Each structure stands twice: as C-alpha cells, then as structure tokens.
Amino acid sequence: MKIICIGRNYIDHINEMQSAKPKEPIFFLKPDTALLKDNSPLYYPRFTKNLHYELELVVKISKNGKTIQPQFAHKYYQEITLGIDFTARDLQEQCKVKGLPWEIAKSFDHSAAVGTFVSIHQLKDNKNIRFNLKKNQETVQEGSSNQMIFTIDEIIAYISQFMTLKTGDLIFTGTPAGVGPVNIGDRLIATLEDKELLNFEIK
Ligand code: MG
C-alpha cells in the first residue's frame, strides 16, 4: 500500500506557512514503513530538532481505480480517520531552500500516525466533518472538511490521473492552521466529531 499526502489544502495553513495557494492539489508520498498505528508511541527521531504535528483527515481507498472522474470518486472510499503527518520542519525548510524533495522531512519511519477508522456513512454531514487535536489537554488545531480547498473527491480524481489507487491506500488530505512542535513527553489526542480516534505519546 502507499500513503499519499496532500499539501497546502487549507487557506489558514497556507497563510501561516507563507506559501502560495495552489491551482491544483500538491501531493507527495510516504512509504508503508511510515505507518504508526494502534496508538503506539512515536519515538522522537534523532535527525531533527523541530518535529511538528499536522492533523489531517485520512481517507482509506476501498477499491482499485485510475482516472477516476470526480462524480464517481465517492464510490472509492467508505472509511476515514484522523492522522498526523509528522514533519521534520527544520529538514523541510532546508529542502525547500535547496529545491530538493521532502522525503527526509516527511517520509521517515512512523511519520504517518493513523487512528481508528470510522464509516463515512456514520457521519452526520460528509461536507462538514469537524476535527481537532489536543496537545497535553490544550486544543492546538481545529478544522472542518468544509475548509478544504480541494475536496476528497477532487483529490481522488486528481491523484488517479497520475497513479492507480489501490485498495488500502491512504490519502492524508492536508492540515488546517495551528501546526506546531512536539516534544518528548507530549500526549496527542485527536477527535473527529465526538469520537476520540488517536491518543498517543511522544517518547
Ligand atoms: Mg501535511
């Protein structure tokens, strides 16, 4: 399976990063070795001094497809969850300055935390999926799918022009504003609507 991550999909986050609003979705990949599941702790990597959380809605692809039309994209997923796109912000800044790929900053082991999946059919309103992240009891990120520049269906249609989506692939759909650092000992708790989907520690 592969993990596809969308960058710059919320205006407030684009502004906080002083980035430009994209005309088309921007995506990058993480390998399966990036997965962090079952609320396992994340061990702070040695190669960064500025590890950031990015809370994101995560979609699980439920059947194979390529060149999927936006109006049919909803047939390709049944479950979503919350995930954290861990980012070595110091390394990412160096990559950006040099115009290099982001893998060392984004795709390292356990950089993709994923929570418990929930059926999208259980949600009240698929267009307005609300979620938040608490770090040590304090709310640090809040978002809703209605703030996304590109919808889940548009993202699926776009990615599938370039690469076949397969059952079990995960798509991280971008982070709202409020990204920030984590430190050893921090606890991260992510909630979707009223369901706690992630609860783990940085060690
Ligand atoms: Mg991200």
Side-chain angles (χ1 to χ4, degrees), residues 2 17 45 49 69 74 94 117 124 140 171 182 189 198:
K2 56 188 174 292
M17 300 302 288
K49 292 187 169 56
Q69 296 304 305
H74 67 276
Q94 293 169 20
F117 282 88
K124 278 177 281 184
V140 288
I171 303 175
V182 288
I189 299 178
L198 268 174

Side-chain angles (χ1 to χ4, degrees), residues 2 4 18 26 35 71 117 120 123 129 156 196:
K2 56 188 174 292
I4 303 151
Q18 299 179 322
I26 295 167
L35 273 181
Q71 64 269 34
F117 282 88
I120 51 165
L123 302 175
I129 305 166
I156 287 173
E196 182 182 294

Side-chain angles (χ1 to χ4, degrees), residues 107-200:
S107 307
F108 51 87
D109 287 354
H110 301 155
S111 59
V114 292
T116 309
F117 282 88
V118 295
S119 166
I120 51 165
H121 308 294
Q122 287 175 12
L123 302 175
K124 278 177 281 184
D125 180 0
N126 286 347
K127 300 277 184 293
N128 182 18
I129 305 166
R130 290 173 299 106
F131 54 95
N132 71 73
L133 179 68
K134 285 193 173 73
K135 183 175 87 169
N136 306 329
Q137 324 279 3
E138 179 199 355
T139 299
V140 288
Q141 285 193 282
E142 282 183 302
S144 165
S145 59
N146 69 12
Q147 301 163 340
M148 293 164 78
I149 297 170
F150 302 105
T151 65
I152 293 170
D153 291 356
E154 289 167 343
I155 289 166
I156 287 173
Y158 183 78
I159 294 168
S160 71
Q161 295 178 55
F162 300 97
M163 51 182 73
T164 302
L165 291 172
K166 296 180 77 174
T167 303
D169 287 351
L170 300 178
I171 303 175
F172 280 61
T173 60
T175 192
V179 301
V182 288
N183 290 298
I184 292 171
D186 285 346
R187 178 159 291 276
L188 297 176
I189 299 178
T191 306
L192 182 140
E193 306 290 349
D194 54 355
K195 298 181 188 69
E196 182 182 294
L197 301 186
L198 268 174
N199 184 342
F200 68 105

Side-chain angles (χ1 to χ4, degrees), residues 67-86:
T67 57
I68 299 162
Q69 296 304 305
Q71 64 269 34
F72 300 122
H74 67 276
K75 297 173 185 281
Y76 289 81
Y77 58 96
Q78 306 293 327
E79 291 180 302
I80 62 169
T81 189
L82 292 170
I84 309 241
D85 166 19
F86 280 108

Side-chain angles (χ1 to χ4, degrees), residues 6 28 54 56 85 106 174-175:
I6 302 294
F28 57 91
E54 294 187 358
E56 312 199 3
D85 166 19
K106 285 283 198 181
T175 192

